[in-house]
Amino acid sequence: MPAPDEGRGKAWREGAERLRRAARTEPGRLRLIGAALALAVVVFGAVTAWQGSDRYASADDVVGRGQTVKDTADLYGALADADTQAATGFLAGPTEPSDVQSAYRGDIARAATLLSGLAENVAPGSHSAALIARINGRLPVYTGLIERARAANRRDLPLGGAYLRYANERMAGTDGILPAAEDLYTEQSARLNAESGSARTWPRAAVALGILALLLLAAAQYRNYRMTNRVFNRGMLSATVACTAVLLWLVAAQTAGDIGLHRADRDGQQSLVVLNDARVNALKARADENLTLISRGSVVAADGRTDLYEVDFGAKTAKLWADLEGARGLADDAAGRTPVLAAIDAVATWRERHAAGSRASAAGEFARAREEVNGRGQTSEQAFARVNTALATAIAHEQDEFTASAKNGRGALAWLWLGAAVLAVLAAVSAILGVGRRLSEYR
């Protein structure tokens, strides 16, 4: 009994010998040509279907991930606005305005809803899931501190300000809730960029195999012409047409998909990144402005003299201004540019009114300073509201542009995989039938 390796070697030798014998006759050569053409076409179709399906899945992820990124940005906005509303209500005195209290509760409820939705859309055990769990665990602690601050404020106890500052530290401190929300947004944005890049990667293997299949079909038809003096073989011509259709469909679909996803990134996502940063800095600056009045200079910066929250307000509004200038440059139409210009104008007004409040506070006129910041009429609060409204309008416009372009890119790739599979099978069958017609002449 021969050894297994000897048996396999003998089988290979016998197979090679049969191929050599077949290649010595024209029918044998035709069978080999038919098999090679069918194999080339099927491999081309299979790779095209695989890569087309992969690109479509990535484009579909871009559309879905865009919503997830929006939700993470909204989560940060809701949390930061809740912190701002808590400070605004505290400054109003023992009787907190009902609209401010309602806004705070609405922000907390919205944050809880967004956290629940995000938890369902991230992979269990991932870093994003850990960030969501961290926010979920710390949010009740923060709201508890806010309620303690309110209770103390209603009794006109100085301890209320300390509770509020401590709550703000839990929200915005280095290891707080907002940094976790910001990390979540950054991570989801990075995944969106990666998925967009994957969807826009050209299927070079499929294109190369398509060109190879067409070259083999052309060579087979040229050989047929030389052997028979017949210009066309219907089977091989049909296979050539089908392969050409798949290759052109592949190139057209990938080009259209790339254009749509590129527009989604250029006209939507890039602007959204800058606008979301602007919203974050606006909310942080507003919280710092309120805390400046609450602390009354009790929290100092590193120099030991300057109010820490005043320094932070200046830094945040400077970043806000830079973000808005960047957003103005990225806006590609009037609908996106107009709200950005309105926000820039409102920031300039906000700075002026904040400066007036700071001068009053420095002069020891706390009541007037509070009126300049959170009173009625032309105040910092009113200017901030204009900034916030303008940013919300700009973000909504850019989000719509992103979603529409991403869906267009996804739509271009929708049926490529199925079309490639069907046409490749038809091409393989046509090539075999074309070769079979020549074989029939030898019977």
Side-chain angles (χ1 to χ4, degrees), residues 165-412:
R165 290 194 299 273
Y166 188 58
N168 175 260
E169 181 63 24
R170 301 282 74 74
M171 175 64 79
T174 304
D175 195 35
I177 296 172
L178 286 180
E182 191 168 3
D183 287 347
L184 182 62
Y185 170 75
T186 301
E187 185 168 300
Q188 293 301 314
S189 294
R191 289 195 62 183
L192 172 62
N193 291 332
E195 286 158 356
S196 178
S198 176
R200 292 167 59 187
T201 301
W202 266 81
R204 294 185 178 87
V207 173
L209 287 169
I211 293 172
L212 176 63
L214 288 175
L215 289 174
L216 290 175
L217 284 165
Q221 289 175 89
Y222 179 70
R223 181 183 184 279
N224 183 68
Y225 168 71
R226 292 193 62 183
M227 295 290 293
T228 66
N229 205 33
R230 295 169 185 163
V231 178
F232 295 117
N233 176 288
R234 291 181 181 177
M236 285 189 279
L237 181 62
S238 298
T240 303
V241 171
C243 282
T244 302
V246 173
L247 186 59
L248 290 177
W249 191 348
L250 171 63
V251 172
Q254 186 63 44
T255 300
D258 187 62
I259 290 172
L261 293 171
H262 177 69
R263 284 178 178 169
D265 177 64
R266 183 195 63 197
D267 299 340
Q269 183 60 18
Q270 290 183 25
S271 293
L272 283 170
V273 169
V274 177
L275 288 168
N276 283 321
D277 286 345
R279 180 169 64 170
V280 165
N281 285 314
L283 291 165
K284 286 181 176 180
R286 179 60 180 159
D288 287 331
E289 183 174 44
N290 283 326
L291 288 167
T292 300
L293 295 177
I294 293 169
S295 68
R296 302 194 191 187
S298 63
V299 182
V300 295
D303 60 9
R305 292 178 288 106
T306 312
D307 184 283
L308 175 63
Y309 298 118
E310 185 69 37
V311 172
D312 286 347
F313 175 84
K316 297 300 188 302
T317 51
K319 289 180 180 178
L320 170 60
W321 189 272
D323 289 335
L324 290 173
E325 288 292 345
R328 178 169 65 174
L330 288 170
D332 62 312
D333 57 14
R337 196 175 301 110
T338 299
V340 173
L341 293 174
I344 291 173
D345 181 65
V347 170
T349 304
W350 184 11
R351 283 173 159 176
E352 292 173 2
R353 294 174 184 172
H354 175 81
S358 296
R359 288 191 295 270
S361 181
E365 301 175 7
F366 178 73
R368 187 164 71 85
R370 188 169 63 180
E371 283 298 314
E372 291 285 354
V373 174
N374 287 337
R376 297 179 179 179
Q378 305 298 310
T379 63
S380 287
E381 183 179 20
Q382 188 258 359
F384 164 74
R386 285 175 53 205
V387 173
N388 210 25
T389 300
L391 284 172
T393 302
I395 288 171
H397 172 73
E398 299 299 340
Q399 186 68 43
D400 288 344
E401 283 205 330
F402 168 84
T403 302
S405 296
K407 285 183 176 180
N408 287 339
R410 180 184 65 180

